[in-house]
């Protein structure tokens, strides 16, 4: 698409293309068969990731969804419940995998910003009674995708971890964008990862690698995760060509995420002044989620009430790609693979709409 017309693609940070340095690293990567654990580049990536996040071990997986689902499968047994928030990625965007692949039932929490508090989690964990399903896992998401890139404070994470652990329930973090969360909080990524029994994070979003995520945990947890990854069809062979750009992502791309956050803030700062646009909260990371009201469509009110869909279609006519999350909500995501004047051009295009 981009070769025909040059759109500014704000649909997601997943659209980022690998840097020239990543492509060179892919071409030159040393490889082996990773199902035998013999790919030196994959091994290096896994060790680097575990070390950066403060875990004993890590496992390279093809996608964030697989990383989350492998974690869910390892922590639980079929017939158990997973406590998660109503807007979480594991519930919304993973194709009911927890039910389809692992026989799990979500115990859904309604929250204002995507982040349950300790009391909600305590109340959601089932007492050990013969006629109730057992709670197998609590899962958090930081930063929060559908929550407009919102960031959960480290102290609040600790309280939830304490509440779950006191009842013997492990806690997983969907940290697809954990480096964005760490940058926004101004802390080392280890602080955000601390206290979780497992953390998944993605290389293929704001960090710009073409493929891949890592699941981090204890040595025993990762040993079991390797088996489940294979069962789910995620055992890769000469995956060093994919791990090599991931190493570049970890070495070079984490430090620049604040630039994306700054752009998101500037775009939001201009949009919030327009009538009919509302932000539940102003962006702290690289995701903007806002609602569009009927004020935008005086002349051509969409009959199906799909304001966001219509808004996004008009934006596309003006050279900007964004995502409609539902009939009212629009999402934009900033990332490194955008032109210098993205902020100005986006504000201009919205004004034209
Ligand atoms: N999110 C994608 C879409 O699936 C919505 C995006 O464009 O943001 N956890 C979180 C919090 C995510 O945002 C995503 C991807 C994943 C997990 C899954 O990663 P992949 O796409 O690699 O399976």
């Amino acid at each position: 698409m981009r070769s025909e017309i040059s759109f500014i693609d704000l649909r997601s940070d997943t659209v980022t293309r690998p840097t020239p340095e990543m492509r060179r690293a892919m071409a030159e990567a040393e490889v082996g068969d990773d199902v035998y654990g013999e790919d030196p580049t994959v091994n290096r990536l896994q060790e680097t990731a575990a070390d950066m996040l403060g875990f004993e071990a890590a496992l390279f997986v093809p996608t964030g969804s697989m990383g989350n689902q492998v974690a869910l499968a390892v922590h639980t047994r079929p017939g158990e419940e997973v406590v998660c928030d109503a807007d979480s990625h594991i519930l919304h965007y993973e194709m009911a995998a927890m039910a389809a692949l692992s026989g799990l039932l979500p115990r859904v929490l309604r929250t204002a910003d995507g982040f349950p508090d300790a009391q909600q989690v305590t109340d959601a964990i089932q007492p050990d009674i013969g006629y109730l399903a057992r709670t197998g896992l609590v899962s958090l998401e930081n930063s929060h995708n559908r929550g407009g890139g919102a960031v959960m404070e480290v102290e609040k994470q600790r309280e939830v971890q304490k509440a779950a652990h006191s009842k013997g329930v492990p806690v997983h973090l969907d940290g697809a964008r954990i480096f964005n969360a760490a940058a926004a909080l101004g802390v080392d990524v280890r602080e955000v990862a601390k206290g979780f029994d497992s953390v998944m994070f993605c290389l293929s979003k704001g960090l710009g690698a073409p493929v891949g995520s890592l699941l981090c945990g204890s040595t025993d947890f990762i040993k079991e995760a390797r088996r489940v990854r294979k069962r789910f069809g995620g055992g890769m062979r000469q995956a060093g060509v994919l791990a090599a750009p991931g190493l570049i992502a970890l070495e070079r791309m984490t430090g620049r995420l604040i630039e994306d956050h700054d752009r998101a803030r500037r775009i939001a700062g201009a949009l919030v002044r327009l009538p009919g646009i509302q932000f539940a909260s102003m962006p702290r990371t690289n995701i903007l989620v806002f609602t569009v009201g009927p004020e935008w469509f005086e002349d051509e009110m969409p009959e199906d009430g799909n304001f966001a869909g219509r808004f996004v279609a008009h934006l596309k006519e003006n050279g900007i790609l964004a995502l409609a999350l539902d009939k009212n909500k629009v999402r934009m995501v900033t990332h490194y693979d955008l032109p210098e004047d993205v902020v100005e051009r986006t504000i201009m295009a919205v004004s034209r709409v």
Side-chain angles (χ1 to χ4, degrees):
M1 192 192 292
R2 268 184 290 206
S3 55
E4 293 157 26
I5 321 170
S6 82
F7 283 106
I8 290 187
D9 198 343
L10 299 174
R11 285 171 304 170
S12 182
D13 45 10
T14 60
V15 303
T16 44
R17 294 161 297 183
T19 63
E21 190 183 8
M22 288 180 186
R23 286 181 182 271
R24 274 197 300 279
M26 292 174 83
E28 291 162 10
E30 229 188 305
V31 296
D33 191 325
D34 181 49
V35 170
Y36 296 111
E38 290 171 2
D39 187 303
T41 313
V42 170
N43 290 341
R44 193 146 58 85
L45 174 65
Q46 291 174 162
E47 283 155 24
T48 306
D51 186 49
M52 280 176 93
L53 269 74
F55 280 92
E56 282 174 5
L59 183 69
F60 187 44
V61 286
T63 65
S65 301
M66 186 182 284
N68 280 336
Q69 293 305 321
V70 167
L72 264 55
V74 175
H75 284 302
T76 62
R77 292 168 62 187
E80 292 185 343
E81 293 188 350
V82 175
V83 176
C84 60
D85 86 274
D87 260 332
S88 57
H89 194 280
I90 58 165
L91 189 63
H92 258 274
Y93 296 125
E94 297 187 14
M95 319 290 296
M98 73 166 84
L101 302 178
S102 300
L104 299 167
L105 198 66
R107 167 79 40 189
V108 178
L109 302 180
R110 308 244 160 237
T111 64
D113 49 9
F115 308 130
D117 60 34
Q119 191 58 52
Q120 278 181 296
V121 169
T122 300
D123 294 346
I125 294 174
Q126 301 277 38
D128 188 8
I129 301 179
Y131 51 81
L132 292 174
R134 195 177 286 141
T135 304
L137 182 69
V138 172
S139 182
L140 300 180
E141 183 176 319
N142 198 11
S143 66
H144 202 288
N145 182 346
R146 287 176 62 89
V151 180
M152 189 172 192
E153 300 299 327
V154 168
E155 297 71 32
K156 192 169 175 183
Q157 289 189 161
R158 301 260 193 284
E159 287 163 18
V160 168
Q161 290 161 353
K162 210 166 134 198
H165 289 156
S166 72
K167 298 200 169 206
V169 178
V171 189
H172 170 70
L173 178 68
D174 175 349
R177 297 182 179 84
I178 195 173
F179 286 96
N180 295 86
L185 290 166
V187 299
D188 189 274
V189 71
R190 270 177 180 240
E191 280 302 305
V192 188
K194 206 162 161 180
F196 288 102
D197 298 277
S198 56
V199 174
M200 183 285 293
F201 75 90
C202 296
L203 299 166
S204 59
K205 301 199 162 53
L207 301 185
V211 178
S213 297
L214 285 130
L215 179 60
C216 305
S218 67
T219 308
D220 285 347
F221 174 86
I222 292 299
K223 193 171 168 206
E224 191 55 25
R226 261 190 106 77
R227 296 179 59 81
V228 176
R229 178 186 69 172
K230 188 74 176 72
R231 183 178 303 143
F232 285 175
M236 298 179 285
R237 302 295 177 175
Q238 286 70 39
V241 291
L242 301 177
L247 278 161
I248 309 269
L250 290 179
E251 282 158 19
R252 301 249 194 281
M253 304 296 275
T254 59
R256 58 152 306 287
L257 293 173
I258 42 171
E259 294 171 32
D260 301 338
H261 300 181
D262 180 55
R263 281 171 158 175
R265 232 184 341 260
R266 280 158 57 208
I267 294 172
L271 299 195
V272 76
R273 284 192 224 113
L274 301 173
I277 286 193
Q278 279 186 333
F279 285 82
S281 60
M282 293 304 271
R284 284 180 74 185
T285 59
N286 65 331
I287 302 180
L288 305 81
V289 173
F290 52 90
T291 55
V292 228
E295 293 91 329
W296 286 83
F297 307 98
E298 274 165 13
D299 305 333
E300 41 154 359
M301 194 66 80
E303 275 173 22
D304 56 1
N306 187 1
F307 300 121
R310 184 66 67 88
F311 183 89
V312 164
H314 281 314
L315 261 187
K316 188 173 178 187
E317 287 161 15
N318 286 285
I320 306 285
L321 301 179
L323 215 59
L325 291 187
D326 58 28
K327 286 185 172 184
N328 297 99
K329 279 191 195 148
V330 175
R331 184 183 83 159
M332 291 178 175
V333 187
T334 56
H335 50 80
Y336 85 90
D337 204 358
L338 291 167
E340 277 297 313
D341 56 354
V342 55
V343 174
E344 294 72 22
R345 280 168 68 185
T346 305
I347 296 168
M348 189 107 76
V350 174
S351 314
R352 262 190 249 125
V353 168

